[in-house]
Amino acid sequence: MTPRPRRAVCPGSYDPVTSGHLDVIARAAALHDEVVVAVLHNPAKAGTFTVEERIAFVRNGLAALGVTEGVRVEAFGGRLLVDVCRDLEADVVVKGLRGTTDFAYELPMALMNRHLTGIETLFLPGDTKFEHVSSSLVKEVARYGGDVTGLVPDEVRDALVTRLRGDG
Ligand code: PNS
């Protein structure tokens, strides 16, 4: 019997994707047959970037890292992660952890998701060089003119400057 592919879901808002996210997705892809990057968004709330922009940033960022095989990026609005995972027939959720604050935030969600459907969450330690990087902090720095080069793909950096500094 051919074993079924191991499919992982990397969920997030990705508004926008950071270099830390991309590192975790690339490492998840190396560990699984398939990875679905699930861009989860609240349809009632406008983000900084549209869902289409977020998807394109993730796709382009992964391509720039040479991660093209076995990864797809899809958007899901207004749904529970566990329901998305069930529809995708995912085996596991993969999340990156930057430290104890992330763990405190992620642990109840992992336990709730397991409570709801039994799906497990695997935590990958984030690369320490991205320990201080989050979508919200990168946006704040960019909004006030700070340089976020290297913390996000260049395309995202340029879009942040345009969107948050008032030209777009
Ligand atoms: O990038 P983020 O904002 O840390 O991602 C959080 C996200 C989107 C993965 C989380 O809020 C989520 O899973 N949302 C979907 C709705 C849901 O399932 N909520 C219950 C979680 S126990």
Side-chain angles (χ1 to χ4, degrees), residues 10 14 17 20-30 35 37 58 62 71:
C10 290
Y14 301 110
V17 72
H21 289 134
L22 291 169
D23 173 62
V24 168
I25 296 165
R27 286 160 56 211
V35 167
V37 181
V58 176
L62 289 171
V71 182

Side-chain angles (χ1 to χ4, degrees), residues 11-14 40 79-82 95 105-106 109 112-113:
S13 314
Y14 301 110
L40 295 171
R79 299 189 61 200
L80 283 176
L81 174 60
V82 289
K95 293 237 182 152
Y105 171 69
E106 294 291 349
M109 290 201 283
M112 179 59 82
N113 289 332

Side-chain angles (χ1 to χ4, degrees), residues 8-100:
V9 170
C10 290
S13 314
Y14 301 110
D15 187 29
V17 72
T18 69
S19 301
H21 289 134
L22 291 169
D23 173 62
V24 168
I25 296 165
R27 286 160 56 211
L31 293 169
H32 296 87
D33 297 316
E34 291 178 25
V35 167
V36 181
V37 181
V39 178
L40 295 171
H41 61 100
N42 179 351
K45 220 174 107 188
T48 302
F49 293 104
T50 66
V51 173
E52 292 72 25
E53 287 172 319
R54 296 184 216 180
I55 290 174
F57 293 151
V58 176
R59 285 199 181 125
N60 296 342
L62 289 171
L65 293 178
V67 181
T68 49
E69 297 286 305
V71 182
R72 61 184 208 263
V73 188
E74 293 181 16
F76 302 90
R79 299 189 61 200
L80 283 176
L81 174 60
V82 289
D83 291 334
V84 169
C85 288
R86 197 166 11 214
D87 287 358
L88 292 170
E89 297 186 50
D91 301 288
V92 71
V93 173
V94 175
K95 293 237 182 152
L97 285 186
R98 282 162 302 188
T100 52

Side-chain angles (χ1 to χ4, degrees), residues 143-163:
R143 182 175 292 117
Y144 294 110
D147 184 7
V148 295
T149 302
L151 309 184
V152 292
D154 288 352
E155 177 188 32
V156 174
R157 176 201 58 202
D158 296 345
L160 281 167
V161 171
T162 306
R163 186 67 44 94

